[in-house]
């Protein structure tokens, strides 16, 4: 799963996009059933986009969504949408997830109804926080946007994306 030789902590070795991931294209997963589901993937999944559009839509049921990074409505140079219509759902991720937008990306996690639980794991450390390396994750989760900061050259800086983690009961027009 991880490569502990990295100076910023272990990171995923998974490069397989799944479950509604759009990499330089469009990836869609539509579950129109009403039963509960268990979605599990390491990274680049569950409504993720990189230079594309990625959508995961689940119509109902008490669902469990587990991922590591770049999952559950995350995007870079694209649109990542994770939409759950109803049910008492459980979301778990480590970093860059649950409504995360990186450079020129819009990431949205929207759960319309239910009593839901959102966990951005800070105890099981996989993505070292620069402020506390080895002690906690750098989460960038649950509605976060981030850009590329260039400390040495203004030519390499890129403005951040837009992250949104929606609230139950909010029905946009």
């Amino acid at each position: 799963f991880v490569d502990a030789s990295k100076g910023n902590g272990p990171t995923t070795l998974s490069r397989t996009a799944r479950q509604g991931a759009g990499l330089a294209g469009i990836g869609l997963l539509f579950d129109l059933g009403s039963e509960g589901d268990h979605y599990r993937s390491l990274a680049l999944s569950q409504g993720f986009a990189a230079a594309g559009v990625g959508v995961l839509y689940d119509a109902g049921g008490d669902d469990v969504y587990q991922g590591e990074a770049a999952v559950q409505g995350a995007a870079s140079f694209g649109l990542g949408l994770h939409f759950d219509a109803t049910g008492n759902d459980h979301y778990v991720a480590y970093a860059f997830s649950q409504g995360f937008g990186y450079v020129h990306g819009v990431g949205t996690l929207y759960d319309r109804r239910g009593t839901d639980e959102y966990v951005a794991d800070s105890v099981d450390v996989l993505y070292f926080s620069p402020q506390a390396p080895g002690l906690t994750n750098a989460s960038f989760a649950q509605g976060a946007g981030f850009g590329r900061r260039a400390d040495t050259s203004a030519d390499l800086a890129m403005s951040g994306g837009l992250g949104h983690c929606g609230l139950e009961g909010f029905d946009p027009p």
Side-chain angles (χ1 to χ4, degrees):
F1 289 1
V2 296
D3 180 358
S5 68
K6 303 288 184 193
N8 62 344
T11 57
T12 188
L13 296 178
S14 175
R15 299 292 180 259
T16 303
R18 301 175 179 91
Q19 301 171 347
L23 303 180
I26 298 172
L28 306 172
L29 186 160
F30 284 79
D31 181 346
L32 304 177
S34 60
E35 67 283 341
D37 300 298
H38 192 141
Y39 299 89
R40 188 173 182 196
S41 184
L42 292 176
L44 313 174
S45 302
Q46 300 171 4
F48 170 77
V53 175
V55 177
L56 185 152
Y57 171 81
D58 190 287
D62 297 340
D63 304 308
V64 175
Y65 300 96
Q66 293 178 301
E68 193 177 292
V71 296
Q72 301 166 8
S76 176
F77 291 94
L79 172 64
L81 173 63
H82 183 126
F83 183 95
D84 188 287
T86 189
N88 300 320
D89 305 308
H90 182 76
Y91 298 87
V92 177
Y94 289 84
F96 316 108
S97 301
Q98 298 177 350
F100 173 73
Y102 189 57
V103 174
H104 296 286
V106 175
T108 296
L109 168 57
Y110 178 71
D111 193 303
R112 188 169 182 194
R113 286 192 185 95
T115 302
D116 305 308
E117 182 179 22
Y118 302 87
V119 176
D121 195 316
S122 63
V123 178
D124 185 13
V125 181
L126 295 177
Y127 296 87
F128 289 2
S129 166
Q131 292 78 22
L135 300 176
T136 189
N137 288 311
S139 79
F140 294 99
Q142 300 174 351
F146 192 63
R148 184 181 186 290
R149 180 177 160 173
D151 292 330
T152 58
S153 171
D155 295 336
L156 298 176
M158 292 182 266
S159 61
L162 174 66
H164 172 261
C165 187
L167 303 173
E168 295 86 5
F170 172 75
D171 289 319

